[in-house]
Amino acid sequence: MRELEREIAERLRAQAGTGPPPPDLAARILHGVSVRRRRRRAAEATAVTLAVVAAIGLPAYVSADRQHTHPAGAAPLAPHTTAPGRNSGLQPTSVTMTPDDEEIPRQLPGGWLLSAYGVGSDGGLLGVGVKYGAKGVQQEDGRLWRISNGDTAPAPIADPAGLWTAASGDGIVVWPEHRDAQHDFQLLCRSGGTARQMGAGGVAGDSGGFHVDRDVIVWTDESRRTVWTAKGCAGSPRAIDTAGYAVAFSYPYAYVVDTTAPGRIRKVDVGTGAVVTRTLPSAVTQDATVLFAAGPRTLSYSDGHGLVVIDTGTWRPHTVSTRLPHSKGINGEQTILTAGDDAVVYSTRPLDGDPETDGAVVYRTTGQAKLSTLAGEAYTKGKWLVWRDHDVYRRQQLSPP
């Protein structure tokens, strides 16, 4: 907390004698609080996992150098010895693409650069403005920006207190916002003009807390055991699960990890309410650091060392044979797993430090499955693939395999 207190004092001193403080000062300070809280929680979760493993002597899922026990038919996240090379030009290799990619400048007003949260099914980008200080320490403007698909300028969407991620769907933009003292975050949805709060129970404040596909939203509230859904910003929230946490969503299916039974995951049809129960390795469902992503025919998960892609029709898993990239940040790294119509992308970027240490792996899931690597963060959704090429993002439509 000393670092945060110094930061607050420095910001207030900087405003002394220069008139009233800017209207977004409070939001920026709250954002700093939330970023540090998330980093601390991630570090504590990893430390607790390792401590428990050391105490009871179980094989550690978070370590790629150990073997794991999996139920029949499941594949372990095994270590691999082939390291991906970094492309000299950032064009993905071994991935069938359209002939030309679209270049999206990252420049924002005031000298900020867009740092993307991901790509929507319509090809639009959402992100926050960043600048890099001494030793690569990242500063954020706390403003949510959107760059639509097409030749349009970046548009400011909102200035949410504590902004740390966002997602978009067909005509909607969704983000978490600190609005009251009773909750860390509430879920906001905007379609057109005014933003609307979705429910009153808050939203889980970590990766996977909410998901958007088409114009449907799925989120887990702060209790971390009740999953809600709504159609569009005007839809009435309704609970679809009361004993789980939604880890992925590809319309119409939400994937809900059962918080009462290790290894159990439910595939919930958000339209009909039909439920199919499946199993995963218990270490996967119990590890809060494991990432999930869903596509129309796949559910994928990763611990940062291995990547498993499951055919959701047969529930047959496939372990992708590659070593995943890691970035070198002063405060660690942020890893993101996304899935589209026929691709899965594992991406990493540093938390402070040299932003050029980011990287990604792109895995095609249909046709003749192919693998490629990128020297830059990347995201997929629907038919789109977006990746960072220094001071621009490049957006391409994945062609049919």
Side-chain angles (χ1 to χ4, degrees), residues 35 38-40 42-43 132 135-138 140 327-335 348-355 357-358:
V35 168
R38 290 193 304 279
R39 289 174 180 170
R40 185 172 64 253
Y132 298 97
K135 299 182 180 180
V137 174
Q138 180 175 296
E140 298 184 1
S327 52
K328 299 176 181 178
I330 297 172
N331 295 296
E333 65 178 340
Q334 179 185 12
T335 55
T348 175
R349 60 185 179 190
L351 291 172
D352 297 321
D354 183 2
T357 65
D358 57 355

Side-chain angles (χ1 to χ4, degrees), residues 94 96 100 103 131 143 160 237 249 258 287 324 335 338 362:
S94 303
T96 304
D100 299 311
E103 187 175 285
K131 290 181 180 178
R143 174 167 291 181
F249 174 51
D258 191 327
D287 186 347
L324 300 177
T335 55
T338 55
V362 181

Side-chain angles (χ1 to χ4, degrees), residues 257-269:
V257 166
D258 191 327
T259 55
T260 67
R264 186 180 298 168
I265 187 169
R266 289 183 284 275
K267 179 181 177 182
V268 183
D269 188 317

Side-chain angles (χ1 to χ4, degrees), residues 37-328:
R37 180 186 294 141
R38 290 193 304 279
R39 289 174 180 170
R40 185 172 64 253
R41 284 176 178 171
E44 290 171 352
T46 301
V48 168
T49 301
L50 294 176
V52 170
V53 167
I56 64 178
L58 292 178
Y61 178 77
V62 295
S63 170
D65 298 324
R66 305 196 185 186
Q67 298 298 314
H68 315 290
T69 302
H70 294 258
L77 292 188
H80 302 286
T81 57
T82 303
R86 293 176 75 83
N87 269 325
S88 55
L90 294 175
Q91 177 74 15
T93 58
S94 303
V95 176
T96 304
M97 308 288 288
T98 51
D100 299 311
D101 60 76
E102 177 187 0
E103 187 175 285
I104 306 171
R106 296 177 63 199
Q107 285 72 24
L108 299 173
W112 299 90
L113 292 174
L114 182 75
S115 177
Y117 291 135
V119 60
S121 56
D122 61 352
L125 268 68
L126 292 175
V128 66
V130 300
K131 290 181 180 178
Y132 298 97
K135 299 182 180 180
V137 174
Q138 180 175 296
Q139 307 169 33
E140 298 184 1
D141 66 355
R143 174 167 291 181
L144 178 60
W145 295 88
R146 175 176 170 80
I147 300 179
S148 301
N149 187 6
D151 188 16
T152 57
I157 299 298
D159 294 274
L163 176 68
W164 55 276
T165 191
S168 63
D170 294 349
I172 62 174
V173 179
V174 181
W175 67 88
E177 182 173 332
H178 180 75
R179 307 198 98 191
D180 56 73
Q182 289 74 37
H183 304 88
D184 274 355
F185 297 100
Q186 294 285 4
L187 194 63
L188 275 291
C189 181
R190 175 175 164 180
S191 178
T194 305
R196 176 176 180 257
Q197 180 176 306
M198 306 303 294
V203 61
D206 51 20
S207 297
F210 66 95
H211 312 270
V212 180
D213 196 17
R214 300 190 183 183
D215 63 344
V216 177
I217 314 162
V218 169
W219 72 97
T220 307
D221 66 23
E222 282 188 341
S223 72
R224 300 182 66 86
R225 63 176 180 270
T226 302
V227 180
W228 301 81
T229 188
K231 183 175 176 61
C233 300
S236 297
R238 56 186 177 86
I240 58 172
D241 197 286
T242 56
Y245 187 98
V247 294
F249 174 51
S250 178
Y251 185 85
Y253 299 115
Y255 294 88
V256 180
V257 166
D258 191 327
T259 55
T260 67
R264 186 180 298 168
I265 187 169
R266 289 183 284 275
K267 179 181 177 182
V268 183
D269 188 317
V270 299
T272 66
V275 178
V276 176
T277 301
R278 298 288 191 177
T279 59
L280 290 174
S282 59
V284 174
T285 62
Q286 291 181 291
D287 186 347
T289 66
V290 172
L291 304 172
F292 291 85
R297 297 170 296 276
T298 61
L299 175 67
S300 304
Y301 62 87
S302 174
D303 65 345
H305 299 285
L307 172 62
V308 171
V309 179
I310 298 172
D311 181 323
T312 54
T314 63
W315 208 248
R316 180 176 299 170
H318 170 70
T319 301
V320 178
S321 182
T322 188
R323 180 177 293 164
L324 300 177
H326 292 279
S327 52
K328 299 176 181 178

